[in-house]
Amino acid sequence: MMAVAGELALAALAAILLAWLLALVLSHFLPLLLNPKAPRGSFGWPLVGETLRFLAPHSSNTLGGFLEDHCARYGRVFKSHLFCTPTVVSCDQDLNHFILQNEERLFQCSYPRPIHGILGKSSMLVVLGEDHKRLRNLALALALVTSTKLKPGYLGDIEKIALHVVGSWRQDGGGGRVVAFCEEARKFAFSVIVKQVLGLSPEDPVTARILEDFLAFMKGLISFPLYIPGTPYAKAVQARERISSTVKGIIEERRSPGSCKKGDFLDVLLSSNELSDDEKVSFVLDSLLGGYETTSLLISMVVYFLGQSAEDLDLVKREHDSIRSNKGKEESLTSEDYKKMEYTQHVINEALRCGNIVKFVHRKALKDVRYKEYLIPSGWKVLPVFSAVHLNPSLHGNAQHFQPCRWEGSSQGTSKRFTPFGGGPRLCPGSELAKVEAAFFLHHLVLNYR
């Protein structure tokens, strides 16, 4: 009897497992059968689809094997199964523009659910619909961009921090010292954004504590989303909670009687009665994230590409020598000096085009969308791939080569061919600030070091 019962249990378990596998296979491939007019493409294996191939590491100034293979086989718009959902991938500049400009009408932001667990439910990066519109409008009214853009105090802070970081490399004689430049760029970008948002100096103990938590936060943001104690994802969620607690403590301190205003972004934010405390904390975290990661990567990319082009480096150095020659030895840079950094801007744009810091964004079709000969089914994920447009040789001659001169006399900085900071209602509001920081840092770097 016991043997028979065991056999029945095993048979039942096998039947359940088989049914689960069949359901998994059916749910994976059923969208292919129900949507025959979707773009051509392939779905890969059940569950994982083609996600692992899509995310395989590759050089920033190349498309990578997945996109090269699929574009060659299916064209610049194709279907796939990515991030556990049917997906239309767009490497086409016109379709990318169409998607970004139709936010909340035809398409909606749709980042994977684990991202929400790290960023928080009130983050402007993940909220949708009217909530996003409300936060976005308030951000434009209060944000760092409008409260500090090119003001002398803001520019002065950038320059002081740049001089502090660059000058630190000469300590202890400087001879033979190895500098991990990407880490120095992170230090600079984080110091600038923490000063502007929270009024904290690089030497403040709170700054060091926030930076330590923020590094754990960033590692988890791009890790496998498995919430098990000790994993990068779990550490990131915990780090966000600690950063939130620190920011809330600073907010309470600012609200205490006798507290002095520092004139930073937090003071402006606290003057608003339209946000809850949780939304204010999310605003601060969004500002730190945007001002830290993009800017530090941009500066690193600029130095990386200039290090491979002696001619462009010489042109940049001449430009900054000219600017400095018209100023006193200790005289600070101004907004007028920034406007004179024309070739530096070409270098920054070209580093953004070749470096592709933001390769793609996540969207979802809210209804069946017909665009030219393509049908994008309702509910499918849509990935506009910016790097594929930036590296398209039919749009940019010698696309894989770093050539800042291509930007001379060009207006393509605001065109469909160049979208390093996204577009539409979710265009990054701090894009110009990242360029200012990169230009000022580069000024002191090329004047003091080979």
Side-chain angles (χ1 to χ4, degrees), residues 107-239:
F107 304 96
Q108 190 176 69
C109 182
S110 179
Y111 284 92
R113 182 59 55 183
I115 296 292
H116 296 223
I118 296 181
L119 295 177
K121 64 180 181 180
S122 298
S123 172
M124 193 165 63
L125 299 175
V126 298
V127 293
L128 305 172
E130 290 302 317
D131 285 335
H132 178 264
K133 188 180 295 184
R134 176 176 62 88
L135 293 176
R136 171 80 179 181
N137 289 339
L138 196 57
L140 292 174
L142 297 177
L144 203 54
V145 180
T146 54
S147 62
T148 61
K149 186 178 180 180
L150 297 186
K151 286 187 176 181
Y154 169 67
L155 297 181
D157 285 338
I158 293 177
E159 189 165 20
K160 286 175 186 174
I161 295 170
L163 284 167
H164 173 77
V165 172
V166 171
S168 69
W169 304 339
R170 296 192 177 191
Q171 294 174 1
D172 303 322
R177 182 182 175 193
V178 176
V179 174
F181 186 80
C182 59
E183 295 301 325
E184 298 298 308
R186 289 190 181 111
K187 186 191 302 180
F188 165 72
F190 191 78
S191 296
V192 170
I193 198 65
V194 168
K195 177 72 169 76
Q196 293 303 313
V197 173
L198 298 174
L200 298 173
S201 67
E203 299 81 19
D204 197 307
V206 179
T207 302
R209 188 164 72 244
I210 295 176
L211 177 58
E212 183 180 353
D213 286 332
F214 208 76
L215 291 174
F217 174 84
M218 289 307 305
K219 287 179 181 177
L221 193 60
I222 56 172
S223 67
F224 189 77
L226 188 65
Y227 193 91
I228 296 176
T231 62
Y233 180 79
K235 289 180 179 178
V237 174
Q238 294 160 4

Side-chain angles (χ1 to χ4, degrees), residues 69-90:
D69 173 64
H70 281 60
C71 285
R73 292 169 62 187
Y74 307 118
R76 301 193 69 81
V77 178
F78 58 88
K79 64 172 173 265
S80 183
H81 201 283
L82 304 171
F83 305 101
C84 300
T85 185
T87 302
V88 170
V89 178
S90 170

